[in-house]
Amino acid sequence: MLRMGATVVAMELAAGLVAYGYFDWPVLVIGVPVIVLTLIALLVVRASEAPRRILQEHRASRWDPNAALPGGLMSGFFEVSKQRPRP
């Protein structure tokens, strides 16, 4: 994710420099906000990766019986209770 974002920003900067060489300063009116918005979008995606990864790990372990936490709504329901012998 980091390399792809760096590649996109580098291509935008290169395109901006080429356009600046041909069209001079008016390119900066559009080019700079586009680069800033791209950086903001990359930061938002980067910030949303950690919760998404945690959710994906949780979903993956949901059906793993070894990773399941003991207890729950029906825990103990099907267990036979110990009865005392009658005197």
Side-chain angles (χ1 to χ4, degrees):
M1 182 6 232
L2 185 61
R3 281 191 267 169
M4 183 66 76
T7 304
V8 169
V9 171
M11 289 190 311
E12 282 183 353
L13 288 173
L17 288 174
V18 170
Y20 180 74
Y22 282 110
F23 300 109
D24 209 20
W25 67 269
V27 170
L28 299 177
V29 173
I30 297 173
V32 172
V34 167
I35 293 171
V36 170
L37 289 175
T38 302
L39 290 173
I40 291 172
L42 289 172
L43 289 174
V44 168
V45 168
R46 176 83 172 161
S48 70
E49 283 294 312
R52 188 193 57 79
R53 190 176 305 118
I54 292 171
L55 179 62
Q56 185 177 7
E57 290 171 0
H58 175 69
R59 286 180 178 166
S61 69
R62 175 182 280 170
W63 304 112
D64 184 11
N66 297 329
L69 297 173
L73 182 63
M74 298 295 289
S75 64
F77 183 76
F78 295 105
E79 294 176 6
V80 178
S81 63
K82 296 179 182 178
Q83 295 180 355
R84 296 186 300 176
R86 292 188 172 205

